[in-house]
Amino acid sequence: MSDLAAPFAFVEAGADAACRGAVDRADRLRDDPDALNALWSHARVILLDEHGHAYADDDGRLRAPHGHEISEGPGGVGAAVFLGLDTHGTGWFALEAALTAFTAPRRVDLRSAAALWPAFDASVFAQARALQHWRSRHRHCGVCGGEVAISRAGWQGTCTKCSAEHYPRTDPAVIVAVSDGARLLLGRQAAWPARRYSVIAGFVEPGETLEQTVAREVLEETGVRVHRCRYLASQPWPFPGALMLGFSADAESDEPHVGDELEDARWFTAQDVRRACERGEWGSARDDGEGPVLSPSISISRWLIEHWLAAQPDAS
């Protein structure tokens, strides 16, 4: 299994690790306040500020104090989100930093953590940030407008007026390496850094299969007709709450043309892609200032590109 996107629990289809997460989410404990309170003293607690940044130490590493270190704060286990248990049985929680008197010298955003932190630390941070985002945007019921009370250790909201139940949601999106047999289709958005190109992606619409989404999105964004696709891998993408479902696809050699979503789309040869991989990521000292710059290594997009490239004949 490639570990290119390990910080966000990337797994290939059929991989041995496909059924394992960073933590055991231990759903059985979410309704057991006694068990959660028993875990709290020795648990590790990720503290998030109002911007969703995690507390870190002087070296920028995750600063997750034990529960007993912040027990004097007004939050504590009652206001904390239970993330799960690690392999040692230690509980992991997330808590709004403003609810405690605990301080740390630095704050780290999720993208930086994904690139720099160990996979476990980045994964639990991503989980904590996604739940914080959901809670902050679902304070009121979408049915009647009543206030939502959070229960089940942070995993369920119940309207205090109409009793409607609300749960964290994940938005499915396809991301696809499209090839005409010899070339790879890549596109770029106007807001991206100069020369940045990536594979095609888009959200699943109601009533669609994933395969139908692949064909529709590629056609809408590039005008290229897909006639076959195959699922390869998935990756949670917590910016703020998508699940990227990675595919490879065979397509016609249509000339790409773009609409409103992309600034440009074009076919790249294996040699083009190989040189882009050698060039390094944006800002790398290896960047020669020419040719496309590929997606960051933390993303499934980059893995899909390299997966396609590995199947191409070596030009040397």
Side-chain angles (χ1 to χ4, degrees), residues 152-173:
R152 299 204 76 236
W155 290 87
Q156 179 178 319
T158 303
C159 178
T160 57
K161 186 176 179 180
C162 73
S163 300
E165 296 180 351
H166 304 272
Y167 299 91
R169 303 299 298 268
T170 297
D171 298 318

Side-chain angles (χ1 to χ4, degrees), residues 117-176:
W117 285 3
F120 178 89
D121 291 356
S123 291
V124 292
F125 178 15
Q127 182 184 354
R129 178 68 186 92
L131 285 164
Q132 180 195 45
H133 183 271
W134 170 68
R135 292 174 67 175
S136 69
R137 283 159 176 75
H138 292 82
R139 301 182 188 275
H140 293 87
C141 178
V143 178
C144 72
E147 290 189 10
V148 171
I150 301 297
S151 60
R152 299 204 76 236
W155 290 87
Q156 179 178 319
T158 303
C159 178
T160 57
K161 186 176 179 180
C162 73
S163 300
E165 296 180 351
H166 304 272
Y167 299 91
R169 303 299 298 268
T170 297
D171 298 318
V174 299
I175 183 165
V176 53

